[in-house]
Amino acid sequence: MASEDVKASESAVEKIVNLAEEAKLARQEIRPTSHAVISICKSLVAGGVAGGLSRTAVAPLERLKILLQVQNPHSIKYNGTISGLKYIWRTEGFKGLFKGNGTNCARIVPNSAVKFFSYEQASKGILYLYQQQTGNEDAQLTPILRLGAGACAGIIAMSATYPMDMVRGRITVQTEKSPYQYRGMVHALSTILREEGPRALYKGWLPSVIGVIPYVGLNFAVYESLKDWLVKTKPLGLVDDSAELGVVTRLACGAVAGTVGQTVAYPLDVVRRRMQMVGWKDASSILTGDGRSKAPLEYSGMIDTFRKTVKYEGFRALYKGLVPNSVKVVPSIAIAFVTYEQVKELLGVEIRISD
């Protein structure tokens, strides 16, 4: 009996030890998962802050760009960047410069969060496949692979938040003389759904998808490649001994990346914006010339929009608003990239997204 009691005690102790080991392993498995979730949340927060801050900083130029893109060619009111901003200030006041920015931030915060996070995940996935294909575990992303990762991120983020972009575009072009006023984001969404149907929220989606590939793709590819080149070559003493770029240098990298991306994709942005206005029977005075004449707004698709824009207004019309957009995009992209990296540093997240 004594021996049986000893065996039973040993068996019980063994079970307790086994359970303790299993619990320890379970905690070890949970920690990385928990850490990964926290890291994802921090990345999303950093991307959202970067997007909201960068767009608010250049909101007046963003609104002027859209007004120029859809302006009735027979009733010119916004003629140039400085004069256009002055006209908005004179007719609508300070609030007019930021009209539509609330809706834009409501769109750009989740858009930017998803875009930066998607780029990180796409970069890791593409790099893994590239290393497996080449058999080189030390291989790094090439500019072409970064372009692909950036394109994937742009398409995912744009598609997820496109209805908000549609609504933002219409609210932005409203003026005090518009025959119909959207009272806000929710009212605009409900009105478009009721009067034009769900598909209206995705008008201009195709040129947006096509345009986002070179725009976002080149942004990330140029920015990351330029940073890598500066770290490796250390020209003009721009990189210190710790191989870290300063904020000003990163701002410059972001500015170059934004300029390249927006110049290539800009005509598609004009086409997208014009397609978003089709079917809006109470279009703002920007499109109707204060009600005196209707602008040719009947477009059957992306190709038709290209064709009619060039036919009736010339090739230069595809670059309407390019100047204020160029002035805007440099600080906007630069602020977004630097804010994203700075916020991630403050949150204690690894900021190298090309490794």
Side-chain angles (χ1 to χ4, degrees), residues 22 76 85-86 176 220 230 233 243 259-260 273 297 323:
E22 290 177 4
I76 302 296
L85 290 173
K86 286 182 177 179
E176 298 301 322
F220 280 110
L230 288 173
T233 60
T259 301
V260 173
R273 199 62 67 188
L297 294 175
V323 173

Coordinates of all heavy atoms in Angstrom, one line a residue, residues 22 76 85-86 176 220 230 233 243 259-260 273 297 323:
E22 N 3.3 23.2 -19.7 CA 2.3 23.5 -20.7 C 1.9 25.0 -20.6 O 1.7 25.7 -21.6 CB 1.1 22.6 -20.7 CG 1.4 21.2 -21.2 CD 0.2 20.3 -21.0 OE1 -0.9 20.8 -20.7 OE2 0.4 19.1 -21.3
I76 N -14.4 81.0 -65.8 CA -13.1 80.9 -65.0 C -13.2 81.8 -63.8 O -13.4 83.0 -63.9 CB -11.9 81.2 -65.8 CG1 -11.8 80.3 -67.0 CG2 -10.6 81.2 -65.0 CD1 -11.6 78.8 -66.6
L85 N -6.5 81.3 -54.1 CA -6.6 81.3 -52.7 C -7.2 82.7 -52.2 O -8.0 82.7 -51.3 CB -5.2 81.1 -52.0 CG -4.6 79.7 -52.2 CD1 -3.1 79.7 -51.7 CD2 -5.4 78.7 -51.4
K86 N -6.8 83.7 -52.8 CA -7.3 85.1 -52.5 C -8.8 85.1 -52.7 O -9.6 85.7 -51.9 CB -6.6 86.2 -53.3 CG -5.2 86.5 -52.8 CD -4.6 87.6 -53.6 CE -3.2 88.0 -53.1 NZ -2.6 89.1 -53.9
E176 N -20.7 79.1 -51.6 CA -21.9 79.8 -51.0 C -23.0 79.9 -52.0 O -24.2 80.0 -51.7 CB -21.5 81.2 -50.5 CG -20.5 81.1 -49.4 CD -21.0 80.3 -48.2 OE1 -22.2 80.4 -47.8 OE2 -20.2 79.6 -47.6
F220 N 6.7 55.3 -52.1 CA 7.4 54.4 -51.2 C 8.8 54.0 -51.8 O 9.8 54.0 -51.2 CB 6.6 53.2 -50.9 CG 5.6 53.4 -49.8 CD1 4.2 53.5 -50.1 CD2 6.0 53.6 -48.5 CE1 3.3 53.7 -49.1 CE2 5.0 53.8 -47.5 CZ 3.7 53.9 -47.8
L230 N 21.4 57.3 -49.5 CA 22.1 58.3 -48.7 C 22.9 57.7 -47.6 O 24.0 58.1 -47.2 CB 21.0 59.3 -48.1 CG 20.4 60.3 -49.1 CD1 19.3 61.0 -48.5 CD2 21.5 61.2 -49.7
T233 N 26.1 55.9 -49.3 CA 27.1 56.8 -49.9 C 27.5 57.9 -49.0 O 28.6 58.5 -49.2 CB 26.5 57.3 -51.2 OG1 25.3 58.1 -51.0 CG2 26.2 56.2 -52.2
A243 N 24.6 56.2 -38.9 CA 23.9 55.8 -40.1 C 22.4 56.2 -40.1 O 21.6 55.5 -40.6 CB 24.1 54.3 -40.4
T259 N 6.9 64.4 -55.3 CA 7.0 65.2 -56.5 C 7.0 64.2 -57.7 O 6.2 64.4 -58.7 CB 8.2 66.1 -56.6 OG1 8.2 67.0 -55.5 CG2 8.2 66.8 -57.9
V260 N 7.8 63.1 -57.6 CA 7.8 62.2 -58.7 C 6.5 61.4 -58.9 O 6.0 61.3 -60.0 CB 9.0 61.1 -58.4 CG1 8.9 60.0 -59.5 CG2 10.3 61.8 -58.5
R273 N -11.6 62.9 -60.5 CA -12.4 63.9 -59.9 C -13.6 64.3 -60.8 O -14.7 64.6 -60.3 CB -11.5 65.1 -59.6 CG -12.1 66.1 -58.6 CD -12.3 65.4 -57.3 NE -11.0 65.1 -56.6 CZ -10.9 64.3 -55.5 NH1 -11.9 63.9 -55.0 NH2 -9.7 64.1 -55.0
L297 N -20.7 67.5 -68.6 CA -20.4 66.6 -67.5 C -20.8 65.2 -67.9 O -20.7 64.3 -67.0 CB -21.1 67.0 -66.2 CG -20.7 68.3 -65.6 CD1 -21.6 68.6 -64.4 CD2 -19.3 68.2 -65.2
V323 N -0.1 73.0 -60.3 CA 0.8 73.9 -59.5 C 0.5 73.9 -58.0 O 1.4 73.6 -57.2 CB 0.7 75.3 -60.1 CG1 1.5 76.3 -59.2 CG2 1.3 75.4 -61.5

